[in-house]
Amino acid sequence: MSKVEPARLFSALGDATRLSMLSRLSDGCTLSIVQLGDGLAISRQGVAKHLDVLHGAGLVDRRKSGREVHYALRREAIEAARTWLDEVNSQWDGTLARLKAFVEDGDG
Amino acid sequence: MSKVEPARLFSALGDATRLSMLSRLSDGCTLSIVQLGDGLAISRQGVAKHLDVLHGAGLVDRRKSGREVHYALRREAIEAARTWLDEVNSQWDGTLARLKAFVEDGDG
DNA sequence: CATATAGGCAACCTCCTGGGTGCCTATATG
DNA sequence: CATATAGGCACCCAGGAGGTTGCCTATATG
């Protein structure tokens, strides 16, 4: 799973329920399915499916402990998503910089 | 549309076709529907639908010019997505920093 | 051992999404 | 003016996503 596809990553992030789960994990804690679904108004199975999506996208780690399964945020995935966005921004910046240089060179 | 919801934003980003469109716009250029669909192996209507999604999420600006409609990347939206990811990361960082301080205080 | 709790599996349902087509309007252009 | 081109609108279709329920296994615990 070294190569994380951006589309899958963003797709997994594209759901408010999953974002709230990730927020809950964002302090580095590790939570079970029941804990993650607490207060979410959807069934335990619904929660499990969301976690499958997050795990499939590489956004969370899954670790079995006794009869529980604990989930933790995978920071690399968050950074992979950020990297994609950064590339878009830097390309924009690069173009503006080149444009600025061109204008200044020709005009000034 | 000042308030961009992260879920909708990421959802719009969660498609390889749309990501490629955004990449094509990432240098700040402005392209028509036909231009954006060039080489994409989907119909013009398919392209238009993807652009509707991107526009609905606030990721692109739409500007009519003659008989064409030109699309341009909205950088604010990209930054909004980055901000969400940054918040997750910073919360993690904060927790690790506090943990580190606690350990060093108690142990050293 | 009996029971409660955490989770998995599979079936099912509904709605959205990604894709298409056909036909319409509007703008360029010979 | 006739024609070509850019888009829009409406409808259609198949498949996936989000959600549920029922029933199963596995681990704790009185």
Side-chain angles (χ1 to χ4, degrees), chain A residues 3 9 11 15 19 22 27 32 35 38 42 45 48-49 61 63-64 69-70 73-74 89 97-98 105-106:
Chain A
K3 184 174 185 298
L9 207 50
S11 178
D15 181 284
L19 287 185
L22 290 178
D27 63 352
S32 73
Q35 289 170 331
D38 190 48
I42 62 177
Q45 283 306 319
K49 282 193 184 182
D61 262 333
R63 202 186 55 211
K64 190 158 190 174
V69 177
H70 291 277
L73 189 66
R74 275 195 73 227
N89 268 347
R98 282 193 296 278
D105 190 47

Side-chain angles (χ1 to χ4, degrees), chain B residues 36-96:
Chain B
L36 279 166
D38 190 48
L40 275 190
I42 63 177
S43 71
R44 177 182 55 81
Q45 283 307 317
V47 176
K49 283 191 182 179
H50 280 301
L51 287 169
D52 277 344
V53 175
L54 291 174
H55 186 249
L59 276 160
V60 295
D61 263 333
R62 166 187 272 158
R63 202 186 55 211
K64 189 155 189 174
S65 161
R67 72 176 155 178
E68 299 184 342
V69 177
H70 290 278
Y71 289 85
L73 188 65
R74 274 195 74 227
R75 231 190 161 189
E76 308 95 293
I78 297 286
E79 308 227 343
R82 261 193 26 168
T83 297
W84 195 93
L85 297 172
D86 282 343
E87 280 172 12
V88 169
N89 268 347
S90 68
Q91 194 163 350
W92 184 305
D93 286 336
T95 301
L96 286 195

Side-chain angles (χ1 to χ4, degrees), chain A residues 34-50:
Chain A
V34 177
Q35 289 170 331
L36 279 167
D38 190 48
L40 276 190
I42 62 177
S43 70
R44 177 182 54 78
Q45 283 306 319
V47 176
K49 282 193 184 182
H50 279 301

Side-chain angles (χ1 to χ4, degrees), chain A residues 8-82:
Chain A
R8 191 162 181 196
L9 207 50
F10 287 125
S11 178
L13 290 169
D15 181 284
T17 303
R18 287 196 287 272
L19 287 185
S20 80
M21 291 177 176
L22 290 178
S23 280
R24 216 177 282 197
L25 290 171
S26 66
D27 63 352
C29 66
T30 167
L31 297 173
S32 73
I33 292 185
V34 177
Q35 289 170 331
L36 279 167
D38 190 48
L40 276 190
I42 62 177
S43 70
R44 177 182 54 78
Q45 283 306 319
V47 176
K49 282 193 184 182
H50 279 301
L51 287 169
D52 277 345
V53 174
L54 290 174
H55 186 249
L59 276 159
V60 294
D61 262 333
R62 167 186 270 157
R63 202 186 55 211
K64 190 158 190 174
S65 159
R67 72 175 154 179
E68 300 184 341
V69 177
H70 291 277
Y71 288 85
L73 189 66
R74 275 195 73 227
R75 233 193 160 186
E76 306 97 292
I78 298 286
E79 308 228 343
R82 261 194 23 167

Side-chain angles (χ1 to χ4, degrees), chain B residues 1-12:
Chain B
M1 198 194 296
S2 57
K3 184 174 185 294
V4 182
E5 318 140 79
R8 191 160 180 198
L9 207 49
F10 287 126
S11 178

Side-chain angles (χ1 to χ4, degrees), chain B residues 28-42:
Chain B
C29 66
T30 168
L31 297 174
S32 74
I33 293 184
V34 177
Q35 290 168 330
L36 279 166
D38 190 48
L40 275 190
I42 63 177

